[in-house]
């Protein structure tokens, strides 16, 4: 009976720790030992069924508790952010975390972790969660933060397309009027040679933000998730890119990111570019599908 006692102790420890997979696995040998102790094929079979059912029910209760705990943490986290109801965090994350047996704070830390610093288990968990985020298509409103210095290129017509790293407005819309320092932290814009950090160092507090849909995003080879080899991707962007599909936020945000490849995509008609200066957002340009360029907004 010593083995049975040890087995049940391990099972209880797994349940209390919220380790769902381990709870089920530890319940199986414990059930077999208990059934054998009962004696008789009929009793043994009944004991196995009963004990396994108990293990499965306990695991389900632990799973429900994980879901409840994460739902509460996510609600408290997003309460003052004015996060969109259609955001990935609200729409998908509670179920994703429950499936992967991850706590919300642990997940947040992993979004900021480079793929090379993750264990194999963490890579698998984060890859599956990132796959839960909806892909951008022609109906998705996207955002892109850009240096203020790009304004002249868009106004003159030299720049007509949007490329590079983008995000869904559903996940970033609540950040659109923050100051430059906050924006650098939110989007990890402190990379080498960053015009954002240069502007901040010079005492400037202004940047641009694009908001709108992009055309032909479903064509092969034009849009991807910036994931590295350990995540099944081919991207090799340097730091601060995590190569795990999430921005390495220096703030308390969770931002799935995407990357437009090749030359970029034309915006949809009436997509806008705004100046955000000293935390005040002002629309200045609108994309015109007839002229195929950005034109000044009407006052």
């Amino acid at each position: 009976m010593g083995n049975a006692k040890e087995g049940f102790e391990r099972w209880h420890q797994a349940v209390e720790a919220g380790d769902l997979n381990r709870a089920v696995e530890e319940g199986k040998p414990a059930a077999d030992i208990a059934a054998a102790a009962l004696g008789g094929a009929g009793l043994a079979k009944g004991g196995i069924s009963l004990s396994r059912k108990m293990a499965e029910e306990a695991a389900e209760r632990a799973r429900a508790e994980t879901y409840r705990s994460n739902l509460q943490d996510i609600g408290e986290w997003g309460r003052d952010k004015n996060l969109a109801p259609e955001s990935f965090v609200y729409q998908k994350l509670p179920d994703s975390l429950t499936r992967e047996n991850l706590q919300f704070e642990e997940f947040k830390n992993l979004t900021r972790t480079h793929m090379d610093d993750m264990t194999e288990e963490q890579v698998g968990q984060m890859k599956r969660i990132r796959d839960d985020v909806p892909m951008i298509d022609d109906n998705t409103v996207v955002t892109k933060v850009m240096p203020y210095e790009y304004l002249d290129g868009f106004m003159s017509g030299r720049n007509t397309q949007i490329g590079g790293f983008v995000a869904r407005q559903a996940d970033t819309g609540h950040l659109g009027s923050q100051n430059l320092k906050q924006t650098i932290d939110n989007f990890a814009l402190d990379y080498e040679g960053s015009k954002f950090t240069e502007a901040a160092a010079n005492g400037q507090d202004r940047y641009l933000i694009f908001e709108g849909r992009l055309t032909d995003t479903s064509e092969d080879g034009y849009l991807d998730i910036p994931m590295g080899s350990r995540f099944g991707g081919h991207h090799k962007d340097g730091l601060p890119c995590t190569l795990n599909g999430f921005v390495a936020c220096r703030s308390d945000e969770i931002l799935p990111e995407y990357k437009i490849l090749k030359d970029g995509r034309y915006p949809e008609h009436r997509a806008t570019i705004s100046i955000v200066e000293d935390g005040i957002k002002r629309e200045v340009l609108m994309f015109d599908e007839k002229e195929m360029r950005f034109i000044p907004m009407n006052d």
Side-chain angles (χ1 to χ4, degrees):
M1 291 299 292
N3 289 338
K5 182 179 179 181
E6 293 173 2
F8 280 113
E9 286 178 351
R10 289 195 299 271
W11 172 61
H12 281 295
Q13 290 171 0
V15 172
E16 290 174 357
D19 190 334
L20 310 182
N21 295 327
R22 183 182 159 212
V24 173
E25 290 304 312
E26 292 289 0
K28 292 177 181 177
D32 293 342
I33 293 170
L38 290 174
L43 289 176
K45 183 177 180 180
I48 291 173
S49 299
L50 179 60
S51 297
R52 285 183 177 172
K53 182 178 180 181
M54 290 171 59
E56 290 169 358
E57 289 176 349
E60 187 59 36
R61 287 195 298 272
R63 188 176 289 108
E65 174 58 25
T66 298
Y67 181 85
R68 185 203 63 78
S69 175
N70 281 324
L71 199 63
Q72 179 177 340
D73 290 344
I74 289 170
E76 292 176 354
W77 172 83
R79 182 174 300 148
D80 299 324
K81 293 181 179 291
N82 198 27
L83 195 65
E86 61 270 22
S87 67
F88 155 72
V89 171
Y90 281 164
Q91 288 290 317
K92 300 284 187 178
L93 191 56
D95 288 331
S96 299
L97 294 181
T98 302
R99 182 192 65 221
E100 301 300 333
N101 193 27
L102 276 176
Q103 295 297 320
F104 181 55
E105 287 299 322
E106 183 181 4
F107 166 74
K108 277 201 301 183
N109 290 334
L110 286 174
T111 64
R112 296 138 171 74
T113 303
H114 192 275
M115 69 168 188
D116 289 340
D117 296 322
M118 292 185 185
T119 66
E120 287 300 322
E121 180 182 16
Q122 290 170 338
V123 167
Q125 290 171 318
M126 292 300 289
K127 173 65 167 63
R128 289 187 291 272
I129 292 175
R130 186 59 183 83
D131 287 344
D132 291 338
V133 184
M135 193 61 178
I136 288 174
D137 59 28
D138 292 357
N139 295 314
T140 306
V141 178
V142 305
T143 61
K144 179 176 177 62
V145 175
M146 300 176 290
Y148 180 82
E149 289 78 6
Y150 286 14
L151 181 61
D152 182 62
F154 286 113
M155 292 186 69
S156 67
R158 293 195 310 272
N159 297 340
T160 58
Q161 295 181 313
I162 300 297
F165 291 92
V166 297
R168 301 190 316 149
Q169 189 184 52
D171 300 317
T172 62
H174 62 294
L175 304 174
S177 297
Q178 296 198 345
N179 64 37
L180 179 58
K181 174 61 169 64
Q182 292 170 315
T183 300
I184 290 172
D185 289 343
N186 290 336
F187 292 91
L189 299 173
D190 53 348
Y191 49 83
E192 185 177 355
S194 168
K195 292 184 179 296
F196 298 99
T197 55
E198 181 181 345
N202 292 332
Q204 298 172 346
D205 186 2
R206 59 188 186 183
Y207 60 93
L208 306 179
I209 184 167
F210 166 84
E211 295 172 288
R213 296 179 178 86
L214 300 175
T215 60
D216 301 324
T217 56
S218 59
E219 292 185 19
D220 290 341
Y222 281 96
L223 183 69
D224 201 7
I225 300 171
M227 294 191 291
S229 57
R230 294 189 70 197
F231 277 72
H234 58 83
H235 293 266
K236 299 180 180 180
D237 300 271
L239 295 173
C241 184
T242 61
L243 297 178
N244 68 28
F246 290 91
V247 176
C249 304
R250 281 75 164 100
S251 62
D252 192 40
E253 299 297 331
I254 298 172
L255 304 179
E257 62 180 347
Y258 306 80
K259 190 174 184 180
I260 299 171
L261 309 176
K262 300 185 179 180
D263 297 328
R265 298 282 81 192
Y266 281 107
E268 194 176 79
H269 185 57
R270 301 189 69 81
T272 63
I273 290 177
S274 300
I275 295 174
V276 181
E277 188 166 10
D278 297 326
I280 299 174
K281 181 179 175 183
R282 176 168 54 93
E283 292 182 341
V284 293
L285 297 176
M286 178 188 74
F287 192 79
D288 187 285
E289 63 181 358
K290 293 182 179 179
E291 297 191 29
M292 292 302 289
R293 56 169 290 181
F294 286 92
I295 61 174
M297 295 282 290
N298 294 325
D299 293 332

